[in-house]
Amino acid sequence: MVRYLDLTVPAAPVQSDSESAVPESSPVASIDGCLTMLDRLLHLPVGQRESIVCELREHLLERSRDLTLRGMTDDEAARAALDELGSLTDLARRFHEAGRIPIRRRIMHGLTIGCGVLVAAAGAFYVAKPASQVQPSVFQQATGATAPPKSLEQRVDSFEYQDVLLRDVFVALERRIDAPVVVHWDALKDYGIQPDQATSIELRNVPLQVVMDSLERSLSRFVPTTWWYGERLIEFGPKALFDGRDKVLAAYDLTPIIDSMWGRFETPYEQAVNEVIGLLTEFVEPEQWVENGGAHAQARVVNGRLFIDAPARMHEKCQWILAELLKGESAMLGHGAGSATVPASTMPDEAARADEARVRTAATRMRDLFMAVQMFQQATPDEPITSLDPLVDRGYLTAERITSPFGPPAEGRSDILFDPTAANVETSVDLSKRIFAYDASMLQARGRTAAVFADGHVEILPAKAFAGILTDAANQGATWRRGSVR
Amino acid sequence: MPLGRARQVDSLELIVLAVLADEPLYGYAIIKRVAARSEGAIRLTPGVLYPLLHQLEKEKLITATWETVHSDRAADGGDGEGRRRKWYALSPAGRRRLAQRIESHRAGVSLIERFLPQPGPHGEGA
């Protein structure tokens, strides 16, 4: 029997007592309110977010002081200082981009690695290429995980702990396995996972590996987490920690694919290269690619050779895609009786992973949309919102943020629907049940939707549950408008 | 003619590194120093400067330390409690980067000068 971990996240600290609390309408309160919104938009580790918010707070307070010395009132000065900050969504995006390697350095890296591959050709490992497969020339092998110890296959009668510290669960696990277990708490703390947080787990008659996988799945609710076995050691931590270790630099010969695309569709070289790279960065763990804002995968084509620097598991998927592209040359698609048909081939789990990435994107967009509307209403309380286009026009959102990652909407529909009245409902309405916006394209395409509620929380809801919530009293009087009327 | 975005970023990086070469400064002080030295011609906004400082720190071109400052100003919500200010200083790697940038910048300016008409004895052609 398996029951998943229940990780109790410590509650946010309670506001200090009313005597020292800053009045809601004070300049400091408006600065703090703005920075709270920025904190929510910054998808960075906790330590970095705190540092950025703290620094900007000090800047805004000092700037406000200077402006009052020039004759402004405290309120005017605080507003002016906040205006100088500009759009919070743009600011958050710039902080994210600042964490990426600058383009000129990526180019330098690409050139350096390209030269390195040529120089190291004598020592490179090359595998003879069967006609139907695309084998890489590997310059740099990952240190790589090794096969897990046999002890993980043994079953445990019972692995049950109620309201214990999370670190004690790992200590108990280590006692059962004949290998040390190292938990990267420093890295996990950046995502809010603490060793002393309360935990419950109940597993019976399962292999130890299932215990490991349960811990991985539960921690992954906070940050993608994995466990790694190498050097006779089991390590737990954020996936990003091991992705760097697992990276492989390999070169693939793209010329058969490029030639095929020219021969069949007269696709020019550059377009063919862009389409192949686009295919890889869109379907193979899109969030990992540097060009999508990730940190662990890069691809570049030079002279018909595709260089990919990425975790080993991504190379497997890239190879599959490249092999499929080669298959296109010899496959025949026909119609009617007696014609050859091309069976659909799917990489195990890959379609599901790509879909889950789109679901996460949809949820993120819902949250960003809610925050942007909050800021817009605070800045222009007298301006009614009839569509989200003014928010795009004034820089609160980009046009992409009011679209669904599940493709363009069906004819006559908008992919995002929102209820502007949800932002100003009676206080007696349960905001946690009042829907503010949802992804209609996702609902149509996947039978579930990402929805943000009037209290700001986001849920992924199956169609049936979503329909049920719509009938709740909290959603009476809701009027749905299209996110974009363009 | 407006600079392309990459050139703007490069120019700002050069300016910020050059300012920090003189002495350690915190963000708002960098904004004021740049405005003063350019006599108002360059106005660094916080939305551009702080992400740039974040990037430079990640690249280890600058180092940062925190200082607690005290304010008794009521509008700061101050009750004597300290605020934290982040100071930046140029690192050795930052000094090398600055030197490279300066050399590159001067070489570029010198090259372009060759294509510009030289000023005549009365200033014409300048």
Side-chain angles (χ1 to χ4, degrees):
Chain A
M1 184 183 86
V2 175
R3 279 177 60 183
Y4 292 110
L5 277 183
D6 167 28
L7 295 175
T8 306
V9 179
V14 176
Q15 193 68 26
S16 52
D17 65 85
S18 57
E19 282 184 357
S20 57
V22 174
E24 272 194 21
S25 57
S26 76
V28 173
S30 56
I31 286 173
D32 285 341
C34 176
L35 291 175
T36 300
M37 288 184 196
L38 177 65
D39 183 63
R40 289 182 194 162
L41 293 170
L42 286 169
H43 306 307
L44 293 169
V46 165
Q48 286 185 38
R49 292 202 320 262
E50 281 175 0
S51 170
I52 290 168
V53 166
C54 189
E55 185 177 23
L56 286 176
R57 186 175 194 270
E58 162 59 19
H59 168 92
L60 290 166
L61 289 173
E62 186 167 350
R63 178 61 175 155
S64 301
R65 184 202 65 173
D66 279 359
L67 291 172
T68 58
L69 291 174
R70 294 186 201 175
M72 286 190 189
T73 64
D74 289 341
D75 283 335
E76 286 168 349
R79 264 202 299 276
L82 286 170
D83 283 345
E84 286 174 357
L85 212 52
S87 155
L88 293 185
T89 43
D90 279 349
L91 182 57
R93 179 180 45 78
R94 276 187 235 116
F95 274 111
H96 295 151
E97 286 173 356
R100 291 168 55 178
I101 301 172
I103 292 171
R104 61 176 183 283
R105 281 184 63 196
R106 275 196 271 157
I107 292 171
M108 288 299 297
H109 281 165
L111 286 173
T112 307
I113 289 168
C115 292
V117 167
L118 289 171
V119 166
F125 170 66
Y126 182 81
V127 174
K129 183 169 68 179
S132 62
Q133 289 190 355
V134 180
Q135 293 289 343
S137 166
V138 177
F139 172 69
Q140 179 179 305
Q141 274 290 5
T143 49
T146 53
K150 289 281 183 196
S151 58
L152 288 188
E153 293 171 19
Q154 60 177 286
R155 296 183 88 86
V156 290
D157 291 333
S158 161
F159 193 88
E160 294 182 50
Y161 298 90
Q162 291 290 332
D163 291 326
V164 299
L165 303 180
L166 181 58
R167 64 162 166 259
D168 290 343
V169 172
F170 283 101
V171 169
L173 181 66
E174 188 178 35
R175 279 202 289 267
R176 310 271 192 140
I177 305 171
D178 64 359
V181 173
V182 172
V183 183
H184 292 277
W185 292 116
D186 282 344
L188 290 171
K189 277 177 195 170
D190 280 346
Y191 297 96
I193 300 174
Q194 304 289 342
D196 58 355
Q197 65 190 58
T199 302
S200 297
I201 180 170
E202 188 181 328
L203 297 164
R204 291 194 196 122
N205 193 30
V206 296
L208 277 171
Q209 179 142 355
V210 170
V211 176
M212 306 275 289
D213 292 341
S214 294
L215 284 164
E216 177 189 302
R217 269 195 299 272
S218 293
L219 292 176
S220 291
R221 291 188 319 206
F222 302 91
V223 59
T225 308
T226 191
W227 60 272
W228 174 282
Y229 181 69
E231 307 292 331
R232 295 176 178 276
L233 191 71
I234 290 180
E235 300 177 66
F236 263 93
K239 228 181 202 182
L241 194 70
F242 304 110
D243 279 344
R245 242 187 255 183
D246 186 32
K247 283 175 73 167
V248 175
L249 172 63
Y252 299 83
D253 186 7
L254 266 196
T255 43
I257 294 171
I258 293 170
D259 289 345
S260 162
M261 290 172 78
W262 173 255
R264 295 178 72 201
F265 306 108
E266 294 189 347
T267 307
Y269 173 84
E270 215 170 290
Q271 184 180 336
V273 162
N274 288 339
E275 287 186 17
V276 171
I277 292 189
L279 201 60
L280 298 175
T281 57
E282 191 179 330
F283 288 102
V284 181
E285 299 192 30
E287 71 280 4
Q288 296 282 9
W289 297 94
V290 167
E291 67 178 77
N292 292 340
H296 294 290
Q298 294 184 74
R300 193 64 54 94
V301 175
V302 177
N303 199 27
R305 302 277 290 177
L306 168 64
F307 296 91
I308 297 180
D309 185 26
R313 67 176 186 280
M314 290 178 69
H315 278 276
E316 286 178 40
K317 297 163 193 171
C318 291
Q319 273 184 268
W320 180 85
I321 285 180
L322 295 173
E324 288 297 308
L325 285 173
L326 273 180
K327 268 189 204 174
E329 195 173 25
S330 54
M332 284 192 44
L333 184 64
H335 300 279
S339 299
T341 55
V342 178
S345 68
T346 56
M347 180 182 295
D349 294 332
E350 190 42 39
R353 279 182 202 257
D355 217 51
E356 281 308 306
R358 279 193 280 275
V359 169
R360 285 196 295 274
T361 300
T364 303
R365 287 185 185 177
M366 283 292 117
R367 184 183 58 218
D368 289 349
L369 192 160
F370 179 82
M371 296 303 305
V373 168
Q374 294 277 298
M375 290 189 296
F376 183 86
Q377 288 184 320
Q378 196 177 50
T380 54
D382 298 325
E383 186 173 336
I385 299 179
T386 54
S387 84
L388 300 174
D389 294 319
L391 276 74
V392 172
D393 294 339
R394 295 182 211 179
Y396 289 88
L397 285 168
T398 60
E400 186 194 49
R401 292 273 147 192
I402 60 171
T403 62
S404 169
F406 286 88
E411 188 64 38
R413 295 187 184 190
S414 174
D415 43 2
I416 303 295
L417 293 177
F418 79 109
D419 171 20
T421 63
N424 295 304
V425 291
E426 300 291 326
T427 51
S428 58
V429 172
D430 185 350
L431 298 181
S432 69
K433 290 184 182 162
R434 177 66 176 240
I435 294 178
F436 175 72
Y438 70 96
D439 189 326
S441 282
M442 182 178 162
L443 187 63
Q444 188 183 23
R446 293 289 180 271
R448 52 181 175 153
T449 187
V452 61
F453 291 75
D455 64 350
H457 87 273
V458 177
E459 286 187 39
I460 304 297
L461 297 165
K464 199 172 171 185
F466 177 67
I469 290 177
L470 283 179
T471 61
D472 190 282
N475 288 297
Q476 277 183 12
T479 51
W480 299 107
R481 291 186 183 270
R482 296 173 59 184
S484 176
V485 296
R486 291 186 184 141
Chain B
M1 179 171 28
L3 292 176
R5 187 167 179 270
R7 276 200 64 198
Q8 279 181 338
V9 169
D10 281 354
S11 299
L12 288 172
E13 183 185 296
L14 174 58
I15 289 170
V16 169
L17 291 176
V19 160
L20 288 174
D22 294 338
E23 58 175 329
L25 291 169
Y26 57 94
Y28 187 46
I30 293 174
I31 291 175
K32 289 200 282 191
R33 181 69 57 90
V34 168
R37 231 189 247 178
S38 65
E39 296 177 0
I42 299 176
R43 198 174 146 262
L44 268 184
T45 59
V48 167
L49 175 66
Y50 288 102
L52 176 60
L53 290 171
H54 184 70
Q55 179 188 322
L56 294 175
E57 192 184 351
K58 275 208 150 213
E59 293 184 52
K60 300 197 190 316
L61 299 176
I62 59 178
T63 56
T65 49
W66 288 92
E67 177 203 13
T68 301
V69 293
H70 294 274
S71 169
D72 53 7
R73 188 167 162 264
D76 292 350
D79 53 359
E81 270 191 36
R83 300 178 342 216
R84 295 179 70 220
R85 177 175 289 166
K86 195 172 182 184
W87 288 79
Y88 296 96
L90 211 55
S91 70
R95 287 193 187 276
R96 285 193 295 274
R97 170 75 72 86
L98 176 61
Q100 288 163 5
R101 287 302 195 92
I102 290 172
E103 190 183 327
S104 166
H105 169 78
R106 286 183 175 153
V109 167
S110 167
L111 187 62
I112 289 173
E113 281 289 321
R114 296 182 201 176
F115 294 92
L116 302 180
Q118 297 301 313
H122 304 294
E124 69 277 11

